[in-house]
Amino acid sequence: MGRTTAAFAAVLITPCIAFAAAPAEAGVTVTVDHWSDGDTVVTSVGKVRLIGIDTPEVGRCGYVRASNRAKRIAPAGSRITLTNPTSVQDKDRYGRLLRYVNVGTVDVGLRQIRAGAKARYDGRDGYDQHPRQYRYRTADRNYADYSC
């Protein structure tokens, strides 16, 4: 019985240790030129689509609010960090880089979700799984909603 309990405990603890020991995401720092909408930013290295979030498109209800929020978090001229986890492809079908976007320790995508964006384009939607998808999906359950 003692060995079974110890083996069971090892199974439970091992994934936690592996997760905690995972290296931090490395990124590249770039400059914001402007935001096309709430989930696409034009930077010094080109257009970047935020991984795992969806905000209203141009002309749709909520577009202005989502775009303005992104501009407040990371205005033109600010420095942002782009991170591409190995589990996500490099570009989308429109040629935009797929990246997490951070301003210091602030995750722009997570802020957008908490304000009303949708957590999408992840392993649950048939796209590449990404490391922050659980955090994004959890935040999406209590979203404010960018709709009108």
Side-chain angles (χ1 to χ4, degrees), residues 3-20:
R3 259 190 265 184
T4 305
T5 304
F8 182 69
V11 168
L12 291 176
I13 294 170
T14 302
C16 295
I17 292 169
F19 181 75

Side-chain angles (χ1 to χ4, degrees), residues 108-127:
V108 177
L110 184 60
R111 284 279 176 96
Q112 287 289 56
I113 289 168
R114 287 181 176 159
K118 293 289 190 182
R120 292 211 175 115
Y121 311 115
D122 60 29
R124 291 182 55 190
D125 297 333
Y127 293 84

